[in-house]
Amino acid sequence: MLIYLNLLDTEQEKSKFEQIYNYYRHIMFYVAKSILKDDYLSEDAVHNAFIKIAKNMDNISEVNSNRTKGYVVIIVRNISLNMLKKQKNIVDIDGFVENTKDDLNLEDEVLSKLSFDFIVEKIMSLPIIYKDVLYLTYVEDLKTQEISGLINVSNETVKKRLQRGRQKLLENINVVF
């Protein structure tokens, strides 16, 4: 715990972090273990997640909320998936650049007209790879650079996942262009 607390500046941040640690550590371990299937690797994933959380405490306003729970779960899940990729030498196909038409303005216009709760519900039904970046972008209001650092992928990969995720989201909403 001291390692994490040394990353924080104020007593208020330290207190908030301790609450987050005590409240979410078991959930985070459960998520990591469900992916990694190993106690020691899961502990490493949770440790790395808490380091990222400590460095990004300004993204957490309320300790006991669904937003915070989603935030910490996304972080530990992505760290665990990255550890699994390294372990299995899986190639990340999202890292490759692809030439696609960018319809973000039209997509954003449609998405802005729908209910926020409805969109969040549809985001949560997407595959993890898209759900995480869309949730962090639209619910947590993070920039692609911040998301890139949190989930440990390149900024271009985040942008590509956002683009593909928006398209999947629109398909789930059954919007026809």
Short mmCIF file of all heavy atoms in Angstrom, two decimals, residues 70-136:
data_model
loop_
_atom_site.label_atom_id
_atom_site.label_comp_id
_atom_site.label_asym_id
_atom_site.label_seq_id
_atom_site.Cartn_x
_atom_site.Cartn_y
_atom_site.Cartn_z
N GLY A 70 -16.68 0.58 -12.96
CA GLY A 70 -16.40 0.34 -14.38
C GLY A 70 -14.99 0.75 -14.76
O GLY A 70 -14.30 0.05 -15.50
N TYR A 71 -14.56 1.87 -14.24
CA TYR A 71 -13.24 2.41 -14.52
C TYR A 71 -12.13 1.45 -14.05
O TYR A 71 -11.24 1.10 -14.81
CB TYR A 71 -13.12 3.77 -13.83
CG TYR A 71 -11.84 4.52 -14.07
CD1 TYR A 71 -11.60 5.14 -15.29
CD2 TYR A 71 -10.89 4.65 -13.06
CE1 TYR A 71 -10.43 5.85 -15.49
CE2 TYR A 71 -9.73 5.36 -13.26
CZ TYR A 71 -9.51 5.97 -14.48
OH TYR A 71 -8.36 6.67 -14.68
N VAL A 72 -12.22 1.00 -12.80
CA VAL A 72 -11.16 0.13 -12.27
C VAL A 72 -11.20 -1.24 -12.93
O VAL A 72 -10.15 -1.85 -13.17
CB VAL A 72 -11.19 0.01 -10.72
CG1 VAL A 72 -10.98 1.36 -10.07
CG2 VAL A 72 -12.45 -0.64 -10.21
N VAL A 73 -12.39 -1.73 -13.25
CA VAL A 73 -12.51 -3.02 -13.92
C VAL A 73 -11.91 -2.96 -15.32
O VAL A 73 -11.20 -3.87 -15.75
CB VAL A 73 -13.98 -3.51 -13.95
CG1 VAL A 73 -14.17 -4.66 -14.92
CG2 VAL A 73 -14.42 -3.91 -12.55
N ILE A 74 -12.16 -1.88 -16.03
CA ILE A 74 -11.60 -1.72 -17.37
C ILE A 74 -10.07 -1.71 -17.30
O ILE A 74 -9.40 -2.36 -18.11
CB ILE A 74 -12.12 -0.43 -18.03
CG1 ILE A 74 -13.58 -0.61 -18.46
CG2 ILE A 74 -11.27 -0.04 -19.24
CD1 ILE A 74 -14.27 0.67 -18.90
N ILE A 75 -9.53 -1.01 -16.35
CA ILE A 75 -8.08 -0.93 -16.23
C ILE A 75 -7.48 -2.31 -15.94
O ILE A 75 -6.56 -2.76 -16.63
CB ILE A 75 -7.66 0.09 -15.14
CG1 ILE A 75 -8.02 1.49 -15.60
CG2 ILE A 75 -6.16 -0.01 -14.85
CD1 ILE A 75 -7.86 2.55 -14.54
N VAL A 76 -8.00 -3.02 -14.95
CA VAL A 76 -7.42 -4.32 -14.61
C VAL A 76 -7.68 -5.34 -15.72
O VAL A 76 -6.83 -6.18 -16.00
CB VAL A 76 -7.91 -4.83 -13.24
CG1 VAL A 76 -9.33 -5.35 -13.28
CG2 VAL A 76 -6.98 -5.89 -12.69
N ARG A 77 -8.81 -5.25 -16.38
CA ARG A 77 -9.09 -6.19 -17.47
C ARG A 77 -8.11 -5.99 -18.62
O ARG A 77 -7.57 -6.95 -19.16
CB ARG A 77 -10.53 -6.00 -17.96
CG ARG A 77 -10.88 -6.97 -19.08
CD ARG A 77 -12.33 -6.94 -19.50
NE ARG A 77 -12.82 -5.60 -19.67
CZ ARG A 77 -14.02 -5.19 -19.27
NH1 ARG A 77 -14.83 -6.01 -18.66
NH2 ARG A 77 -14.41 -3.95 -19.49
N ASN A 78 -7.85 -4.75 -18.98
CA ASN A 78 -6.92 -4.49 -20.08
C ASN A 78 -5.49 -4.87 -19.72
O ASN A 78 -4.76 -5.38 -20.55
CB ASN A 78 -7.02 -3.04 -20.54
CG ASN A 78 -8.19 -2.85 -21.46
OD1 ASN A 78 -8.14 -3.26 -22.61
ND2 ASN A 78 -9.25 -2.27 -20.95
N ILE A 79 -5.10 -4.62 -18.50
CA ILE A 79 -3.76 -5.04 -18.07
C ILE A 79 -3.66 -6.56 -18.12
O ILE A 79 -2.67 -7.11 -18.61
CB ILE A 79 -3.44 -4.49 -16.67
CG1 ILE A 79 -3.21 -2.98 -16.74
CG2 ILE A 79 -2.24 -5.21 -16.06
CD1 ILE A 79 -3.09 -2.30 -15.40
N SER A 80 -4.69 -7.25 -17.67
CA SER A 80 -4.70 -8.71 -17.69
C SER A 80 -4.66 -9.24 -19.12
O SER A 80 -3.92 -10.19 -19.43
CB SER A 80 -5.94 -9.25 -16.98
OG SER A 80 -5.96 -8.84 -15.64
N LEU A 81 -5.45 -8.63 -20.00
CA LEU A 81 -5.45 -9.07 -21.40
C LEU A 81 -4.09 -8.82 -22.06
O LEU A 81 -3.61 -9.66 -22.84
CB LEU A 81 -6.56 -8.36 -22.18
CG LEU A 81 -7.98 -8.79 -21.83
CD1 LEU A 81 -9.00 -7.87 -22.48
CD2 LEU A 81 -8.22 -10.23 -22.22
N ASN A 82 -3.46 -7.70 -21.74
CA ASN A 82 -2.13 -7.44 -22.28
C ASN A 82 -1.11 -8.45 -21.76
O ASN A 82 -0.23 -8.89 -22.50
CB ASN A 82 -1.68 -6.01 -21.96
CG ASN A 82 -2.39 -4.99 -22.81
OD1 ASN A 82 -2.84 -5.28 -23.91
ND2 ASN A 82 -2.50 -3.78 -22.30
N MET A 83 -1.23 -8.81 -20.48
CA MET A 83 -0.33 -9.83 -19.92
C MET A 83 -0.56 -11.16 -20.62
O MET A 83 0.41 -11.88 -20.93
CB MET A 83 -0.56 -9.96 -18.41
CG MET A 83 -0.07 -8.78 -17.61
SD MET A 83 -0.53 -8.86 -15.86
CE MET A 83 0.54 -10.17 -15.29
N LEU A 84 -1.80 -11.49 -20.88
CA LEU A 84 -2.13 -12.75 -21.56
C LEU A 84 -1.58 -12.74 -22.98
O LEU A 84 -1.05 -13.75 -23.45
CB LEU A 84 -3.64 -12.95 -21.56
CG LEU A 84 -4.16 -14.30 -22.02
CD1 LEU A 84 -3.66 -15.40 -21.09
CD2 LEU A 84 -5.67 -14.30 -22.06
N LYS A 85 -1.68 -11.61 -23.67
CA LYS A 85 -1.14 -11.50 -25.02
C LYS A 85 0.36 -11.74 -25.02
O LYS A 85 0.89 -12.45 -25.87
CB LYS A 85 -1.41 -10.11 -25.61
CG LYS A 85 -2.79 -9.91 -26.11
CD LYS A 85 -2.93 -8.50 -26.67
CE LYS A 85 -4.34 -8.19 -27.04
NZ LYS A 85 -4.50 -6.82 -27.55
N LYS A 86 1.05 -11.11 -24.08
CA LYS A 86 2.50 -11.29 -24.00
C LYS A 86 2.85 -12.73 -23.70
O LYS A 86 3.81 -13.28 -24.23
CB LYS A 86 3.10 -10.38 -22.94
CG LYS A 86 3.12 -8.93 -23.34
CD LYS A 86 3.69 -8.06 -22.24
CE LYS A 86 3.60 -6.60 -22.62
NZ LYS A 86 4.01 -5.72 -21.54
N GLN A 87 2.03 -13.34 -22.88
CA GLN A 87 2.27 -14.73 -22.49
C GLN A 87 2.06 -15.68 -23.67
O GLN A 87 2.79 -16.64 -23.84
CB GLN A 87 1.31 -15.09 -21.35
CG GLN A 87 1.63 -16.32 -20.60
CD GLN A 87 0.66 -16.51 -19.44
OE1 GLN A 87 -0.52 -16.16 -19.54
NE2 GLN A 87 1.14 -17.06 -18.35
N LYS A 88 1.08 -15.38 -24.50
CA LYS A 88 0.74 -16.27 -25.61
C LYS A 88 1.26 -15.76 -26.95
O LYS A 88 1.00 -16.38 -27.98
CB LYS A 88 -0.77 -16.45 -25.69
CG LYS A 88 -1.33 -17.20 -24.52
CD LYS A 88 -2.79 -17.48 -24.71
CE LYS A 88 -3.31 -18.33 -23.57
NZ LYS A 88 -4.69 -18.72 -23.76
N ASN A 89 1.96 -14.62 -26.95
CA ASN A 89 2.48 -14.02 -28.17
C ASN A 89 1.40 -13.81 -29.22
O ASN A 89 1.56 -14.14 -30.38
CB ASN A 89 3.62 -14.86 -28.75
CG ASN A 89 4.83 -14.85 -27.87
OD1 ASN A 89 5.15 -13.83 -27.26
ND2 ASN A 89 5.50 -15.98 -27.77
N ILE A 90 0.29 -13.25 -28.79
CA ILE A 90 -0.82 -12.97 -29.69
C ILE A 90 -0.52 -11.66 -30.42
O ILE A 90 -0.10 -10.69 -29.82
CB ILE A 90 -2.14 -12.85 -28.92
CG1 ILE A 90 -2.48 -14.18 -28.27
CG2 ILE A 90 -3.27 -12.37 -29.83
CD1 ILE A 90 -3.68 -14.13 -27.36
N VAL A 91 -0.76 -11.63 -31.72
CA VAL A 91 -0.56 -10.43 -32.51
C VAL A 91 -1.81 -9.57 -32.41
O VAL A 91 -2.92 -10.03 -32.58
CB VAL A 91 -0.31 -10.80 -34.00
CG1 VAL A 91 -0.19 -9.54 -34.84
CG2 VAL A 91 0.92 -11.65 -34.11
N ASP A 92 -1.62 -8.29 -32.12
CA ASP A 92 -2.72 -7.35 -32.00
C ASP A 92 -3.08 -6.81 -33.38
O ASP A 92 -2.42 -5.92 -33.90
CB ASP A 92 -2.33 -6.21 -31.07
CG ASP A 92 -3.47 -5.25 -30.82
OD1 ASP A 92 -4.61 -5.53 -31.21
OD2 ASP A 92 -3.20 -4.21 -30.20
N ILE A 93 -4.14 -7.35 -33.98
CA ILE A 93 -4.51 -6.93 -35.33
C ILE A 93 -5.05 -5.51 -35.35
O ILE A 93 -5.09 -4.89 -36.40
CB ILE A 93 -5.53 -7.89 -35.97
CG1 ILE A 93 -6.82 -7.93 -35.16
CG2 ILE A 93 -4.94 -9.26 -36.16
CD1 ILE A 93 -7.94 -8.68 -35.83
N ASP A 94 -5.47 -4.98 -34.20
CA ASP A 94 -5.96 -3.61 -34.18
C ASP A 94 -4.83 -2.61 -34.35
O ASP A 94 -5.07 -1.44 -34.59
CB ASP A 94 -6.69 -3.32 -32.87
CG ASP A 94 -8.09 -3.90 -32.88
OD1 ASP A 94 -8.71 -3.88 -33.95
OD2 ASP A 94 -8.54 -4.37 -31.83
N GLY A 95 -3.59 -3.07 -34.22
CA GLY A 95 -2.46 -2.17 -34.37
C GLY A 95 -2.17 -1.81 -35.81
O GLY A 95 -1.47 -0.86 -36.09
N PHE A 96 -2.72 -2.59 -36.75
CA PHE A 96 -2.48 -2.32 -38.15
C PHE A 96 -3.39 -1.20 -38.63
O PHE A 96 -4.55 -1.12 -38.28
CB PHE A 96 -2.73 -3.57 -38.99
CG PHE A 96 -1.77 -4.68 -38.68
CD1 PHE A 96 -2.22 -5.87 -38.16
CD2 PHE A 96 -0.42 -4.52 -38.90
CE1 PHE A 96 -1.35 -6.90 -37.87
CE2 PHE A 96 0.46 -5.54 -38.60
CZ PHE A 96 0.00 -6.72 -38.08
N VAL A 97 -2.84 -0.33 -39.44
CA VAL A 97 -3.61 0.79 -39.96
C VAL A 97 -4.44 0.31 -41.13
O VAL A 97 -3.99 -0.45 -41.97
CB VAL A 97 -2.67 1.94 -40.41
CG1 VAL A 97 -3.45 3.08 -41.02
CG2 VAL A 97 -1.84 2.41 -39.24
N GLU A 98 -5.65 0.77 -41.18
CA GLU A 98 -6.60 0.34 -42.20
C GLU A 98 -7.21 1.58 -42.81
O GLU A 98 -7.53 2.52 -42.12
CB GLU A 98 -7.64 -0.53 -41.49
CG GLU A 98 -8.82 -0.91 -42.28
CD GLU A 98 -9.77 -1.72 -41.41
OE1 GLU A 98 -9.36 -2.74 -40.86
OE2 GLU A 98 -10.92 -1.29 -41.28
N ASN A 99 -7.38 1.59 -44.14
CA ASN A 99 -7.99 2.73 -44.81
C ASN A 99 -9.50 2.56 -44.80
O ASN A 99 -10.03 1.69 -45.46
CB ASN A 99 -7.50 2.83 -46.25
CG ASN A 99 -6.05 3.19 -46.32
OD1 ASN A 99 -5.57 3.94 -45.49
ND2 ASN A 99 -5.34 2.67 -47.30
N THR A 100 -10.16 3.40 -44.02
CA THR A 100 -11.61 3.36 -43.96
C THR A 100 -12.15 4.77 -44.02
O THR A 100 -11.48 5.72 -43.61
CB THR A 100 -12.13 2.69 -42.66
OG1 THR A 100 -11.61 3.41 -41.55
CG2 THR A 100 -11.73 1.24 -42.60
N LYS A 101 -13.36 4.90 -44.51
CA LYS A 101 -14.01 6.20 -44.59
C LYS A 101 -14.38 6.65 -43.18
O LYS A 101 -14.91 5.88 -42.40
CB LYS A 101 -15.25 6.09 -45.47
CG LYS A 101 -15.93 7.39 -45.69
CD LYS A 101 -17.13 7.20 -46.59
CE LYS A 101 -17.91 8.49 -46.66
NZ LYS A 101 -19.17 8.30 -47.33
N ASP A 102 -14.12 7.89 -42.87
CA ASP A 102 -14.37 8.40 -41.53
C ASP A 102 -15.68 9.17 -41.50
O ASP A 102 -15.77 10.28 -41.99
CB ASP A 102 -13.20 9.29 -41.09
CG ASP A 102 -13.26 9.60 -39.62
OD1 ASP A 102 -14.04 8.98 -38.90
OD2 ASP A 102 -12.49 10.47 -39.20
N ASP A 103 -16.72 8.55 -40.94
CA ASP A 103 -18.04 9.17 -40.84
C ASP A 103 -18.32 9.66 -39.43
O ASP A 103 -19.46 9.59 -38.97
CB ASP A 103 -19.12 8.17 -41.26
CG ASP A 103 -19.07 7.82 -42.72
OD1 ASP A 103 -18.66 8.67 -43.52
OD2 ASP A 103 -19.45 6.70 -43.06
N LEU A 104 -17.32 10.14 -38.73
CA LEU A 104 -17.50 10.49 -37.33
C LEU A 104 -18.53 11.58 -37.12
O LEU A 104 -19.28 11.54 -36.15
CB LEU A 104 -16.17 10.90 -36.72
CG LEU A 104 -15.08 9.84 -36.71
CD1 LEU A 104 -13.85 10.37 -36.01
CD2 LEU A 104 -15.56 8.57 -36.03
N ASN A 105 -18.61 12.56 -38.00
CA ASN A 105 -19.56 13.65 -37.79
C ASN A 105 -20.99 13.14 -37.81
O ASN A 105 -21.79 13.49 -36.96
CB ASN A 105 -19.36 14.74 -38.84
CG ASN A 105 -18.04 15.47 -38.66
OD1 ASN A 105 -17.51 15.48 -37.57
ND2 ASN A 105 -17.54 16.04 -39.73
N LEU A 106 -21.33 12.32 -38.79
CA LEU A 106 -22.67 11.77 -38.88
C LEU A 106 -22.95 10.85 -37.71
O LEU A 106 -24.02 10.91 -37.09
CB LEU A 106 -22.83 11.01 -40.20
CG LEU A 106 -24.19 10.39 -40.46
CD1 LEU A 106 -25.28 11.45 -40.45
CD2 LEU A 106 -24.18 9.66 -41.80
N GLU A 107 -21.99 10.01 -37.35
CA GLU A 107 -22.15 9.10 -36.22
C GLU A 107 -22.36 9.88 -34.93
O GLU A 107 -23.26 9.57 -34.15
CB GLU A 107 -20.93 8.20 -36.07
CG GLU A 107 -20.76 7.20 -37.17
CD GLU A 107 -19.44 6.45 -37.07
OE1 GLU A 107 -18.68 6.67 -36.11
OE2 GLU A 107 -19.16 5.65 -37.96
N ASP A 108 -21.53 10.88 -34.69
CA ASP A 108 -21.64 11.68 -33.47
C ASP A 108 -22.99 12.39 -33.40
O ASP A 108 -23.58 12.52 -32.33
CB ASP A 108 -20.51 12.69 -33.38
CG ASP A 108 -19.18 12.03 -33.05
OD1 ASP A 108 -19.19 10.91 -32.51
OD2 ASP A 108 -18.13 12.64 -33.32
N GLU A 109 -23.48 12.86 -34.56
CA GLU A 109 -24.77 13.54 -34.58
C GLU A 109 -25.90 12.58 -34.17
O GLU A 109 -26.76 12.93 -33.36
CB GLU A 109 -25.04 14.08 -35.98
CG GLU A 109 -26.33 14.86 -36.10
CD GLU A 109 -26.53 15.39 -37.51
OE1 GLU A 109 -25.54 15.66 -38.20
OE2 GLU A 109 -27.70 15.52 -37.90
N VAL A 110 -25.87 11.37 -34.71
CA VAL A 110 -26.90 10.38 -34.36
C VAL A 110 -26.80 10.00 -32.89
O VAL A 110 -27.80 9.96 -32.17
CB VAL A 110 -26.77 9.12 -35.25
CG1 VAL A 110 -27.67 8.00 -34.76
CG2 VAL A 110 -27.10 9.47 -36.69
N LEU A 111 -25.58 9.74 -32.43
CA LEU A 111 -25.40 9.33 -31.04
C LEU A 111 -25.83 10.42 -30.06
O LEU A 111 -26.36 10.13 -29.00
CB LEU A 111 -23.95 8.94 -30.79
CG LEU A 111 -23.48 7.67 -31.50
CD1 LEU A 111 -21.99 7.44 -31.23
CD2 LEU A 111 -24.28 6.46 -31.08
N SER A 112 -25.62 11.68 -30.44
CA SER A 112 -25.98 12.77 -29.53
C SER A 112 -27.49 12.91 -29.38
O SER A 112 -27.97 13.47 -28.40
CB SER A 112 -25.37 14.08 -30.00
OG SER A 112 -25.99 14.50 -31.20
N LYS A 113 -28.26 12.39 -30.32
CA LYS A 113 -29.72 12.51 -30.27
C LYS A 113 -30.37 11.42 -29.43
O LYS A 113 -31.54 11.52 -29.11
CB LYS A 113 -30.29 12.49 -31.68
CG LYS A 113 -29.92 13.73 -32.48
CD LYS A 113 -30.49 13.71 -33.85
CE LYS A 113 -30.06 14.96 -34.61
NZ LYS A 113 -30.56 14.97 -35.97
N LEU A 114 -29.64 10.39 -29.11
CA LEU A 114 -30.20 9.29 -28.34
C LEU A 114 -29.97 9.50 -26.84
O LEU A 114 -29.09 10.24 -26.43
CB LEU A 114 -29.57 7.97 -28.78
CG LEU A 114 -29.85 7.58 -30.24
CD1 LEU A 114 -29.01 6.38 -30.63
CD2 LEU A 114 -31.32 7.29 -30.45
N SER A 115 -30.75 8.82 -26.04
CA SER A 115 -30.63 8.91 -24.59
C SER A 115 -29.26 8.42 -24.12
O SER A 115 -28.77 7.39 -24.56
CB SER A 115 -31.74 8.07 -23.95
OG SER A 115 -31.43 7.74 -22.63
N PHE A 116 -28.68 9.16 -23.18
CA PHE A 116 -27.37 8.79 -22.64
C PHE A 116 -27.40 7.40 -22.02
O PHE A 116 -26.53 6.58 -22.28
CB PHE A 116 -26.93 9.84 -21.61
CG PHE A 116 -25.60 9.54 -20.99
CD1 PHE A 116 -24.42 9.79 -21.67
CD2 PHE A 116 -25.52 9.01 -19.71
CE1 PHE A 116 -23.19 9.52 -21.11
CE2 PHE A 116 -24.29 8.74 -19.14
CZ PHE A 116 -23.12 8.98 -19.84
N ASP A 117 -28.41 7.13 -21.21
CA ASP A 117 -28.50 5.82 -20.56
C ASP A 117 -28.66 4.70 -21.57
O ASP A 117 -28.08 3.62 -21.41
CB ASP A 117 -29.68 5.79 -19.57
CG ASP A 117 -29.45 6.70 -18.39
OD1 ASP A 117 -28.28 6.97 -18.05
OD2 ASP A 117 -30.45 7.15 -17.79
N PHE A 118 -29.43 4.95 -22.61
CA PHE A 118 -29.62 3.95 -23.67
C PHE A 118 -28.29 3.66 -24.35
O PHE A 118 -27.95 2.50 -24.59
CB PHE A 118 -30.66 4.47 -24.68
CG PHE A 118 -30.85 3.56 -25.85
CD1 PHE A 118 -31.57 2.38 -25.71
CD2 PHE A 118 -30.34 3.88 -27.09
CE1 PHE A 118 -31.77 1.53 -26.80
CE2 PHE A 118 -30.52 3.05 -28.18
CZ PHE A 118 -31.24 1.87 -28.04
N ILE A 119 -27.53 4.71 -24.64
CA ILE A 119 -26.24 4.53 -25.30
C ILE A 119 -25.28 3.78 -24.40
O ILE A 119 -24.58 2.87 -24.85
CB ILE A 119 -25.64 5.89 -25.73
CG1 ILE A 119 -26.51 6.50 -26.83
CG2 ILE A 119 -24.21 5.73 -26.21
CD1 ILE A 119 -26.14 7.90 -27.22
N VAL A 120 -25.24 4.13 -23.12
CA VAL A 120 -24.35 3.43 -22.18
C VAL A 120 -24.72 1.96 -22.12
O VAL A 120 -23.86 1.09 -22.12
CB VAL A 120 -24.38 4.08 -20.78
CG1 VAL A 120 -23.64 3.23 -19.77
CG2 VAL A 120 -23.78 5.48 -20.83
N GLU A 121 -26.01 1.67 -22.10
CA GLU A 121 -26.46 0.27 -22.09
C GLU A 121 -25.99 -0.46 -23.34
O GLU A 121 -25.51 -1.60 -23.27
CB GLU A 121 -27.99 0.24 -22.01
CG GLU A 121 -28.59 -1.14 -21.98
CD GLU A 121 -30.11 -1.10 -21.97
OE1 GLU A 121 -30.68 -0.24 -21.28
OE2 GLU A 121 -30.71 -1.93 -22.67
N LYS A 122 -26.10 0.17 -24.48
CA LYS A 122 -25.65 -0.44 -25.74
C LYS A 122 -24.12 -0.58 -25.78
O LYS A 122 -23.60 -1.55 -26.30
CB LYS A 122 -26.14 0.37 -26.95
CG LYS A 122 -27.63 0.29 -27.15
CD LYS A 122 -28.07 -1.13 -27.44
CE LYS A 122 -29.54 -1.22 -27.75
NZ LYS A 122 -29.98 -2.57 -28.05
N ILE A 123 -23.41 0.40 -25.23
CA ILE A 123 -21.95 0.31 -25.16
C ILE A 123 -21.54 -0.91 -24.33
O ILE A 123 -20.66 -1.67 -24.72
CB ILE A 123 -21.33 1.60 -24.56
CG1 ILE A 123 -21.41 2.74 -25.58
CG2 ILE A 123 -19.89 1.37 -24.12
CD1 ILE A 123 -20.99 4.09 -25.02
N MET A 124 -22.23 -1.12 -23.21
CA MET A 124 -21.88 -2.23 -22.32
C MET A 124 -22.17 -3.59 -22.95
O MET A 124 -21.65 -4.61 -22.50
CB MET A 124 -22.62 -2.09 -20.99
CG MET A 124 -22.24 -0.81 -20.23
SD MET A 124 -20.49 -0.46 -20.14
CE MET A 124 -20.03 -1.54 -18.81
N SER A 125 -22.96 -3.63 -24.02
CA SER A 125 -23.26 -4.89 -24.68
C SER A 125 -22.26 -5.22 -25.79
O SER A 125 -22.32 -6.30 -26.38
CB SER A 125 -24.69 -4.87 -25.24
OG SER A 125 -24.77 -3.99 -26.35
N LEU A 126 -21.35 -4.31 -26.08
CA LEU A 126 -20.35 -4.52 -27.14
C LEU A 126 -19.23 -5.44 -26.66
O LEU A 126 -19.04 -5.61 -25.45
CB LEU A 126 -19.76 -3.18 -27.57
CG LEU A 126 -20.69 -2.21 -28.30
CD1 LEU A 126 -19.99 -0.87 -28.50
CD2 LEU A 126 -21.13 -2.78 -29.62
N PRO A 127 -18.46 -5.99 -27.59
CA PRO A 127 -17.27 -6.76 -27.18
C PRO A 127 -16.32 -5.87 -26.37
O PRO A 127 -16.26 -4.66 -26.57
CB PRO A 127 -16.62 -7.15 -28.52
CG PRO A 127 -17.74 -7.09 -29.51
CD PRO A 127 -18.66 -6.01 -29.03
N ILE A 128 -15.60 -6.47 -25.46
CA ILE A 128 -14.72 -5.76 -24.52
C ILE A 128 -13.80 -4.77 -25.23
O ILE A 128 -13.62 -3.65 -24.77
CB ILE A 128 -13.89 -6.76 -23.70
CG1 ILE A 128 -14.80 -7.51 -22.75
CG2 ILE A 128 -12.77 -6.07 -22.94
CD1 ILE A 128 -14.10 -8.65 -22.02
N ILE A 129 -13.24 -5.18 -26.34
CA ILE A 129 -12.24 -4.35 -27.03
C ILE A 129 -12.81 -2.98 -27.41
O ILE A 129 -12.11 -1.98 -27.41
CB ILE A 129 -11.67 -5.11 -28.24
CG1 ILE A 129 -10.39 -4.48 -28.73
CG2 ILE A 129 -12.68 -5.23 -29.35
CD1 ILE A 129 -9.62 -5.35 -29.69
N TYR A 130 -14.11 -2.94 -27.73
CA TYR A 130 -14.75 -1.67 -28.10
C TYR A 130 -15.43 -1.02 -26.90
O TYR A 130 -15.46 0.19 -26.78
CB TYR A 130 -15.77 -1.90 -29.21
CG TYR A 130 -15.17 -2.58 -30.42
CD1 TYR A 130 -15.66 -3.79 -30.87
CD2 TYR A 130 -14.09 -2.02 -31.09
CE1 TYR A 130 -15.10 -4.43 -31.97
CE2 TYR A 130 -13.52 -2.65 -32.18
CZ TYR A 130 -14.03 -3.85 -32.62
OH TYR A 130 -13.47 -4.48 -33.69
N LYS A 131 -15.99 -1.84 -26.03
CA LYS A 131 -16.71 -1.34 -24.86
C LYS A 131 -15.81 -0.45 -24.01
O LYS A 131 -16.21 0.63 -23.59
CB LYS A 131 -17.21 -2.53 -24.03
CG LYS A 131 -17.83 -2.12 -22.72
CD LYS A 131 -18.45 -3.23 -21.90
CE LYS A 131 -17.82 -4.56 -21.94
NZ LYS A 131 -18.47 -5.54 -21.07
N ASP A 132 -14.59 -0.89 -23.77
CA ASP A 132 -13.70 -0.14 -22.89
C ASP A 132 -13.38 1.24 -23.43
O ASP A 132 -13.49 2.24 -22.71
CB ASP A 132 -12.40 -0.93 -22.66
CG ASP A 132 -12.62 -2.18 -21.84
OD1 ASP A 132 -13.72 -2.36 -21.28
OD2 ASP A 132 -11.68 -2.99 -21.76
N VAL A 133 -12.99 1.34 -24.70
CA VAL A 133 -12.61 2.65 -25.23
C VAL A 133 -13.82 3.56 -25.37
O VAL A 133 -13.72 4.77 -25.12
CB VAL A 133 -11.83 2.55 -26.56
CG1 VAL A 133 -10.48 1.88 -26.35
CG2 VAL A 133 -12.62 1.85 -27.63
N LEU A 134 -14.97 3.02 -25.76
CA LEU A 134 -16.16 3.85 -25.86
C LEU A 134 -16.61 4.34 -24.48
O LEU A 134 -16.99 5.50 -24.31
CB LEU A 134 -17.29 3.08 -26.55
CG LEU A 134 -17.12 2.87 -28.05
CD1 LEU A 134 -18.17 1.91 -28.58
CD2 LEU A 134 -17.17 4.18 -28.80
N TYR A 135 -16.58 3.46 -23.50
CA TYR A 135 -16.96 3.84 -22.14
C TYR A 135 -16.03 4.94 -21.61
O TYR A 135 -16.49 5.95 -21.07
CB TYR A 135 -16.92 2.62 -21.22
CG TYR A 135 -17.34 2.93 -19.80
CD1 TYR A 135 -18.67 2.90 -19.43
CD2 TYR A 135 -16.40 3.28 -18.83
CE1 TYR A 135 -19.07 3.20 -18.13
CE2 TYR A 135 -16.78 3.58 -17.54
CZ TYR A 135 -18.12 3.54 -17.20
OH TYR A 135 -18.49 3.84 -15.92
N LEU A 136 -14.73 4.74 -21.76
CA LEU A 136 -13.79 5.72 -21.26
C LEU A 136 -13.90 7.05 -22.00
O LEU A 136 -13.68 8.12 -21.43
CB LEU A 136 -12.36 5.18 -21.33
CG LEU A 136 -12.05 4.03 -20.38
CD1 LEU A 136 -10.69 3.41 -20.69
CD2 LEU A 136 -12.11 4.49 -18.93
#
